[in-house]
Amino acid sequence: MNFDRTKHSHCRYNPLKDEWILVSPQRLSRPWQGRVEDDKNDNDDDSDINSNEKPTNPLCPGAIRGKNNQQNPFYEHTYVFENDYPALLADIPDPKNDQNNNNDDLFQCHAARGVCKVMCFHPNSKLTLPRMTLDHISHIVKTWIEVYRDLASQYQWVQIFENRGDVMGCSNPHPHCQIWATDFLPNEARIKHRTQKDYFLKHNGNVLLLDYIKRELNDFNKERVVIDNEHWIVVVPYWAVWPYETMLLPKRHVLRLSDLSDEEQKGLGEIMKQLLIKYDNLFNTSFPYSMGWHGAPTGDLINEDCSYWQLHALYYPPLVRSATIKKFMVGFEMLAQVQRDITPEFAAETLRNLSGEIHYKDKKNT
C-alpha cells in the first residue's frame, strides 16, 4: 500500500506556530447527527435598517450608545471610537511586589495596559464587506492604517480583528471590526516573533513566509493558491487548521500594515473583496469567520531589527460541510492536537473554482 494524503491520516508541521496538525481525510464519509446551526447569516444586505430617524443599532450613524450615552456622528464611510466596554485599560497600577515576581516559575503576573477601539466599516448595518464598493473598501484599508500607525507609536502590539457572524460570537451584525493595542506581545505574536527569527537565523537571512509563498508558487503548481494579483496572494496554508482557512500576504517583503504602498493598498481592497465573495458563494450564505492582521511588533520594539517578519492576515471560518454545520474544537483537539478532515488542497481547489467577481445574491437579481 502506498501513502495517499487524500485518504490516509497524517500530521503536518506549522513552522509559524511550531505545532503539528492532524489531517484525517478518511473521516469525510462519517455521518453527521450532531448540532446543526440556524442559517441566520443569510441577511438581506440590500436593505438599510438605518433609514429610521432614531436608529436602534448602537453602531449606526446618529445612534446613542454606551454607558455615557454618546451619540455617533452621521458618518458616511468608516467610524472609529473607543470601545464602551473595553477588555484593556490604559492607566492601571502595577501589581504589588508579592504579586509581580517574575522569578517565580509557578505564579507570575504583570499589568496589562492597552486600548480597545471599534471601527465601523459602513453606515448600512446590513451591508457586508464583499458587497461593498471598492471605494468603500479602500476607506476601510486606509482607516486600518491610520489607526494602526497611531497606536503603533505607543504599544508593542496592535491587533486588528473582525468576527463576522453570530456563530463566531459577533455581538452586533453591523459591519465592523475591533482594534486592540497592548503594551505586551500576546501569545500568538510572541510565538511568531520567535519562530520567524529562528528561521531567519537558520536560513541565512531568508524570511519564512516569503520562502513559503515562493515555494507555493514555484514548487507545488499553485495547488493551495486560491487567488493572487500583482501585489497579493491568498493561500490555504499547508498547515491550515480550520476547514476553509486562508492566509493573505503581500508578495514583497512588508513588515507592517503601515508600510503598504498606495498600489498595494488598492490591490488589497480588490483581493479581499474577491476572497469574501468566494467565501459567501461557497454555501450561498454570509460566510462567518474570525480574521486578523499580524505584523512586526511596534511601540518600544519598533526600532529593533524585525526584518524576519512578514505581514499577513488570517481568515478562520468554522463552516465545514454546509451553511449549518461547523467545525468544533473539542476533545482530542483541546486536549492533544488540532485536527482537520478535508485536506488543505481540497479546500483551496474548492475556493479557487468559485466566482470571486459575482456574489450569489447578485446572480439572483440578474
Side-chain angles (χ1 to χ4, degrees):
M1 179 188 298
N2 294 322
F3 173 77
D4 184 344
R5 70 181 182 187
T6 68
K7 298 178 180 178
H8 300 143
S9 57
H10 59 281
C11 291
R12 299 189 184 194
Y13 181 64
N14 179 351
L16 261 184
K17 295 183 65 177
D18 190 19
E19 67 179 21
W20 290 86
I21 295 89
L22 172 62
V23 184
S24 311
Q26 72 278 4
R27 278 165 50 93
L28 281 174
S29 60
R30 71 176 179 134
W32 181 258
Q33 295 182 333
R35 179 180 173 87
V36 176
E37 306 292 332
D38 291 330
D39 187 11
K40 297 177 181 178
N41 293 313
D42 196 17
N43 294 328
D44 179 15
D45 53 10
D46 291 315
S47 63
D48 186 352
I49 65 170
N50 301 332
S51 57
N52 299 326
E53 291 185 6
K54 294 183 179 180
T56 56
N57 189 317
L59 297 187
C60 68
I64 306 296
R65 43 153 255 275
K67 297 173 289 186
N68 299 318
N69 293 323
Q70 298 276 347
Q71 182 174 23
N72 297 336
F74 289 91
Y75 61 93
E76 297 181 355
H77 292 289
T78 58
Y79 170 53
V80 180
F81 62 92
E82 291 208 15
N83 197 314
D84 298 311
Y85 305 94
L88 293 155
L89 300 172
D91 186 18
I92 56 173
D94 284 318
K96 295 179 181 179
N97 290 336
D98 61 346
Q99 299 174 316
N100 188 23
N101 183 2
N102 289 330
N103 295 320
D104 190 323
D105 291 334
L106 296 178
F107 300 95
Q108 295 187 31
C109 174
H110 67 79
R113 299 182 182 89
V115 63
C116 300
K117 293 181 179 287
V118 177
M119 174 181 155
C120 298
F121 289 162
H122 193 280
N124 185 346
S125 288
K126 286 273 194 167
L127 188 62
T128 56
L129 199 150
R131 303 198 72 205
M132 293 181 193
T133 66
L134 287 174
D135 178 64
H136 276 298
I137 296 174
S138 73
H139 281 277
I140 294 170
V141 173
K142 291 183 184 301
T143 305
W144 275 345
I145 292 171
E146 289 171 6
V147 178
Y148 179 91
R149 186 176 285 122
D150 176 58
L151 295 176
S153 65
Q154 308 170 60
Y155 294 100
Q156 285 191 3
W157 189 254
V158 181
Q159 184 61 66
I160 298 171
F161 66 96
E162 178 195 2
N163 295 324
R164 183 185 181 196
D166 58 1
V167 74
M168 300 306 296
C170 183
S171 61
N172 191 309
H174 191 100
H176 72 286
C177 72
Q178 298 188 56
I179 306 174
W180 294 12
T182 62
D183 67 346
F184 59 92
L185 289 185
N187 290 340
E188 295 287 308
R190 180 169 49 83
I191 293 169
K192 290 185 178 183
H193 195 58
R194 171 180 61 82
T195 57
Q196 290 178 101
K197 185 176 183 179
D198 288 348
Y199 184 94
F200 184 84
L201 295 175
K202 182 179 179 180
H203 295 272
N204 301 314
N206 284 14
V207 177
L208 188 158
L209 284 175
L210 289 181
D211 279 359
Y212 172 69
I213 61 172
K214 185 184 300 182
R215 293 195 62 191
E216 285 284 16
L217 289 169
N218 299 327
D219 295 354
F220 293 97
N221 198 30
K222 295 186 176 183
E223 67 176 337
R224 284 173 293 272
V225 176
V226 176
I227 192 171
D228 69 323
N229 60 24
E230 181 181 358
H231 300 291
W232 294 88
I233 181 171
V234 175
V235 299
V236 176
Y238 176 76
W239 51 79
V241 173
W242 294 92
Y244 291 93
E245 174 182 333
T246 56
M247 180 164 54
L248 167 62
L249 309 91
K251 290 183 175 179
R252 77 173 177 97
H253 189 197
V254 178
L255 297 185
R256 301 176 177 91
L257 203 60
S258 53
D259 297 329
L260 295 175
S261 68
D262 290 344
E263 284 302 306
E264 285 167 332
Q265 293 177 39
K266 180 175 181 290
L268 173 57
E270 293 168 349
I271 204 166
M272 282 173 52
K273 182 177 174 70
Q274 290 175 308
L275 173 62
L276 296 182
I277 288 175
K278 284 177 176 286
Y279 270 154
D280 282 9
N281 286 347
L282 178 59
F283 296 132
N284 285 359
T285 191
S286 186
F287 208 66
Y289 58 75
S290 283
M291 71 81 63
W293 286 97
H294 285 175
T298 51
D300 57 6
L301 298 177
I302 203 162
N303 293 322
E304 290 190 8
D305 181 8
C306 293
S307 52
Y308 42 88
W309 265 90
Q310 173 69 357
L311 176 70
H312 58 286
L314 295 160
Y315 287 83
Y316 295 150
L319 299 185
V320 59
R321 300 190 185 197
S322 69
T324 59
I325 298 178
K326 72 172 187 176
K327 174 180 177 60
F328 291 90
M329 285 286 195
V330 296
F332 188 89
E333 292 154 308
M334 293 179 69
L335 298 165
Q337 183 169 303
V338 291
Q339 180 270 341
R340 64 178 290 128
D341 290 350
I342 65 172
T343 65
E345 295 74 31
F346 175 87
E349 182 180 13
T350 302
L351 290 172
R352 188 167 53 244
N353 291 335
L354 293 166
S355 172
E357 305 297 330
I358 303 175
H359 195 274
Y360 75 92
K361 288 187 175 180
D362 295 322
K363 292 179 183 177
K364 292 179 181 179
N365 297 332
T366 57

